[in-house]
Amino acid sequence: MSYPFQINSLAQYHADYKAAAENPDVFWANVAENFYWRKKWDKALDWNFTEPKIEWFAGGKLNITENCIDRHLATMADKPAIIWEPNNPEERVRTVTYARLHKRVCQFAQVLKNNAVKKGDRVCIYMGMVPELAYAVLGCARIGAIHSVIFGGFSAQSIADRLEDAQATFIVTCDGAYRGEKVIPLKAVIDDALIGNKTVKKVIVYTRTRTPVSMIKGRDIWWEDEMDIAEDQIEKNGVVSFKAEEMDAEDPLFILYTSGSTGKPKGVVHTCAGYMIWTTYTFVNMFQYNQGDIHFCTADIGWITGHSYILYGPLAAGATSLMFEGIPTFPNAGRFWDIIDKHQVNILYTAPTALRSLMSFGDEHLLGKNLTSLKTLGTVGEPINEEAWHWYDDNIGKNKCPIIDTWWQTETGGCLITNLAGITPAKPGWATLPMPGVQPVIVDEKGNEVTEADEHGMLKGNLCIKAPWPGILRTTYGDHERCRVNYFATYPNVYFTGDGALKDAEGNYRITGRVDDVLNISGHRIGTAEVENAINMHSGVVESAVVGYPHDIKGQGIYAFVIYNGHHGDENLRRQDISQTVAKIIGAIAKPDKIQFVKGLPKTRSGKIMRRILRKIAEGETENLGDITTLLDPDVVAEIKDGKV
Ligand code: WT7
């Protein structure tokens, strides 16, 4: 069965693209008719990019969980909503039907209510990939609390900053999380994050690893106890119910923090209706999801990919979403292929970095794995190199599955540019065509539209979007001006993505990477300024400069040039001290791959670090460093080149 808004042919793609561009309000109102509203909207779209103000379906009333769960119960109560595959393949798989998901989400919503969490309150979720994480997220949405999920790899300090920024009052966590051979002590990290915190009133702890944890009377409560209490409250005579809060279309649904070019991560805000419609529409169309398919997105729910394409998009579409707790290389590099074989997975959505890593372990991990259930493959998070694309195509899709290269961002809510599986053509290394509703434009440094092709027939420049689609961010939490400056002020009247792109004569886009000071490490976004701030926190560091460099597996690696003053241990120990400091301040994901100690940094006479030169050196370029005559002290360049690590 296909969906009423499913694009079934190339001709329909072009027709829908045109319709959405010409009459966005009519087009998206038609799509919106396929959702469950308590009250329909007054106005489909109202916007300007100067403030910015973006409103989709204003006046509409709904609750996203009624769309993701309740409306499926009449026909799909016993269908698996979530299939959970644990870290350890010997542990029992959990299958959560839509009926069970409904019960658990109602129960957790009741727990929140019992603990005085109200509509609009901010709830921080710091958990491993367990089904209870889905219950927590959706439970928040059910009562209208704004969830802010924090990836389990972030440190106590990072969590503390986010709690403060969001003024969160409630935390959901686990005692620990399994990651391959390791147990990550999540509750202990939360305890550290709460030192000095003034807003959090309660911390609820789900037992996953039975790691000993401190439980502070009056603040810390157990998930299991609270869920037991709630069970009787929501269930009367076999009927489960917890009336979902009625939300305005434009009420905030969640905050998700992401890095930018300044030191402080920003809280991207998505709202209820537009985000729901965008994630569902893109989910169905890019993967060409059909009822009954099993969808396996390998992302963590701590990132936007997990929010949009493990939870909200698939569930609103009534899909079966496979949720995986572990890592691709545990117990061995055949883990993904075992899961696909075991659950007869139809759609695999993963990151190029994971593919490159698995490639490097050799093809013997594919032996004996039956992958014939696969119909569609997808990638996300970074440009995919042709070698990885062909490996994916040959070894996983066996040249029978379309591969979609989906370009998007935390801020875009869902995918903006991709081929549609089996409908629009793929081009290795290219994200290809925009989704209906997305109007990209390539601009030069001054913001003028690039119209002249280069010698290869390509338009080349910075990627912007001309008009809002339903899933665009609405603000950055607590600081609307920051949202304006970051995304809407670089160039007038467009949303600036921060990415560079090429456009070919057929209208295909190729994303060439960030043009701002943001790195993409294994598909995760980290700001250079953020890493520098963390390095500079180390007592021996005088100054530092961080750039990215090409990394075989991660896509980009972090290269830090550090001026150091001290004598504690040899260079390697000092490097480890610095890495530990970064892990404490941001989290292990931001540890530099390379640290080079230098006597000076290349600076202009006005004191600005010339990162262009450092980037070239980090990339291994020795000859063409460009003009260095404007440097305050050109000699430092030779010294840095000689000391390259
Ligand atoms: C940045 C956004 C989208 C969810 C995961 C990352 C890069 C993302 C692609 C792609 C080339 C890509 C961009 C973008 N990116 N997808 N298919 N091809 N680059 O979300 O952390 O918000 O990062 O990831 O540079 O701006 P994010």
Side-chain angles (χ1 to χ4, degrees), residues 18-41:
K18 190 159 172 279
E22 285 171 359
N23 285 310
D25 39 359
V26 177
F27 184 86
W28 292 108
N30 274 330
V31 176
E33 292 290 348
N34 297 286
F35 292 80
Y36 173 70
W37 298 83
R38 295 262 186 99
K39 173 185 169 288
K40 294 261 174 82
W41 53 95

Side-chain angles (χ1 to χ4, degrees), residues 285-289 293-298 336-337 340 345-352 355 366 371-380 384 388-406 418-422 424 426 430:
N285 281 304
M286 69 198 206
F287 296 112
Q288 287 293 306
Y289 185 85
D293 287 349
I294 295 179
H295 170 75
F296 177 19
C297 166
T298 70
F336 280 1
W337 325 129
I340 292 164
V345 167
N346 305 109
I347 301 169
L348 174 65
Y349 191 34
T350 194
L355 295 173
L366 282 157
L371 305 180
T372 51
S373 57
L374 286 172
K375 297 198 300 202
T376 301
L377 305 176
T379 71
V380 60
I384 183 162
W389 194 98
H390 285 293
W391 185 83
Y392 204 18
D393 188 32
D394 294 342
N395 294 285
I396 310 306
K398 318 277 185 201
N399 307 113
K400 288 195 188 99
C401 301
I403 299 178
I404 59 171
D405 178 348
T406 66
T418 182
N419 49 316
L420 309 179
T424 65
W430 291 66

Side-chain angles (χ1 to χ4, degrees), residues 294-332:
I294 295 179
H295 170 75
F296 177 19
C297 166
T298 70
D300 191 289
I301 291 173
W303 308 106
I304 191 70
T305 308
H307 283 61
S308 302
Y309 298 119
I310 296 178
L311 293 181
Y312 288 113
L315 295 176
T320 298
S321 183
L322 195 147
M323 180 175 174
F324 173 44
E325 183 188 45
I327 55 171
T329 50
F330 175 81
N332 58 57

Side-chain angles (χ1 to χ4, degrees), residues 172-241:
V172 193
T173 191
C174 298
D175 52 349
Y178 291 118
R179 261 186 76 79
E181 311 265 8
K182 290 193 216 142
V183 175
I184 315 292
L186 298 179
K187 173 60 166 63
V189 178
I190 289 291
D191 289 338
D192 286 347
L194 284 174
I195 296 170
N197 175 285
K198 295 201 173 56
T199 58
V200 173
K201 298 197 178 72
K202 292 268 174 75
V203 179
I204 188 166
V205 184
Y206 171 71
T207 310
R208 172 63 183 125
T209 55
R210 199 53 188 98
T211 301
V213 288
S214 84
M215 292 295 283
I216 305 293
K217 194 177 288 171
R219 186 193 73 182
D220 298 347
I221 53 182
W222 293 107
W223 172 286
E224 296 75 13
D225 293 350
E226 297 291 317
M227 288 291 266
D228 279 352
I229 296 169
E231 187 157 22
D232 298 334
Q233 293 169 279
I234 60 147
E235 195 163 346
K236 302 239 157 55
N237 308 322
V239 179
V240 173
S241 95

Side-chain angles (χ1 to χ4, degrees), residues 258 304-305 379-383 405-411 497 499 511 514 520 523 525:
T258 190
I304 191 70
T305 308
T379 71
V380 60
E382 44 172 330
D405 178 348
T406 66
W407 172 82
W408 55 296
Q409 310 178 299
T410 304
E411 294 85 344
T497 65
D499 280 317
I511 311 303
R514 302 290 304 197
N520 189 329
R525 214 202 288 190

Side-chain angles (χ1 to χ4, degrees), residues 284-555:
V284 165
N285 281 304
M286 69 198 206
F287 296 112
Q288 287 293 306
Y289 185 85
N290 287 309
Q291 277 298 339
D293 287 349
I294 295 179
H295 170 75
F296 177 19
C297 166
T298 70
D300 191 289
I301 291 173
W303 308 106
I304 191 70
T305 308
H307 283 61
S308 302
Y309 298 119
I310 296 178
L311 293 181
Y312 288 113
L315 295 176
T320 298
S321 183
L322 195 147
M323 180 175 174
F324 173 44
E325 183 188 45
I327 55 171
T329 50
F330 175 81
N332 58 57
R335 187 71 169 113
F336 280 1
W337 325 129
D338 283 329
I339 293 175
I340 292 164
D341 189 339
K342 177 166 160 191
H343 296 284
Q344 294 291 289
V345 167
N346 305 109
I347 301 169
L348 174 65
Y349 191 34
T350 194
T353 185
L355 295 173
R356 289 191 298 265
S357 157
L358 295 176
M359 267 168 77
S360 76
F361 283 88
D363 294 348
E364 65 267 23
H365 291 286
L366 282 157
L367 287 178
K369 311 290 160 78
N370 182 351
L371 305 180
T372 51
S373 57
L374 286 172
K375 297 198 300 202
T376 301
L377 305 176
T379 71
V380 60
E382 44 172 330
I384 183 162
N385 50 310
E386 291 211 13
E387 192 192 355
W389 194 98
H390 285 293
W391 185 83
Y392 204 18
D393 188 32
D394 294 342
N395 294 285
I396 310 306
K398 318 277 185 201
N399 307 113
K400 288 195 188 99
C401 301
I403 299 178
I404 59 171
D405 178 348
T406 66
W407 172 82
W408 55 296
Q409 310 178 299
T410 304
E411 294 85 344
T412 69
C415 180
L416 297 198
I417 304 183
T418 182
N419 49 316
L420 309 179
I423 304 285
T424 65
K427 185 169 173 181
W430 291 66
T432 75
L433 299 172
M435 280 282 174
V438 177
Q439 299 178 51
V441 55
I442 296 197
V443 304
D444 64 18
E445 288 298 312
K446 296 198 188 75
N448 298 317
E449 183 163 350
V450 176
T451 48
E452 299 260 312
D454 67 7
E455 66 273 26
H456 309 290
M458 305 283 174
L459 302 178
K460 187 177 178 185
N462 295 340
L463 182 63
C464 296
I465 317 285
K466 278 194 225 173
W469 59 97
I472 189 173
L473 87 162
R474 302 300 196 268
T475 188
T476 45
Y477 192 78
D479 193 350
H480 194 61
E481 176 62 6
R482 195 164 176 214
C483 173
R484 189 187 69 82
V485 169
N486 257 289
Y487 307 105
F488 300 94
T490 315
Y491 307 116
N493 297 319
V494 292
Y495 165 82
F496 176 46
T497 65
D499 280 317
L502 301 175
K503 184 181 182 184
D504 72 9
E506 281 79 50
N508 293 305
Y509 290 87
R510 178 189 180 102
I511 311 303
T512 50
R514 302 290 304 197
V515 295
D516 51 8
D517 289 320
V518 171
L519 306 178
N520 189 329
I521 313 298
S522 301
H524 299 145
R525 214 202 288 190
I526 297 172
T528 54
E530 223 180 315
V531 183
E532 286 166 6
N533 288 350
I535 293 174
N536 296 349
M537 295 283 282
H538 180 61
S539 62
V541 172
V542 178
E543 199 180 1
S544 66
V546 165
V547 296
Y549 72 97
H551 187 288
D552 285 347
I553 305 284
K554 298 182 181 184

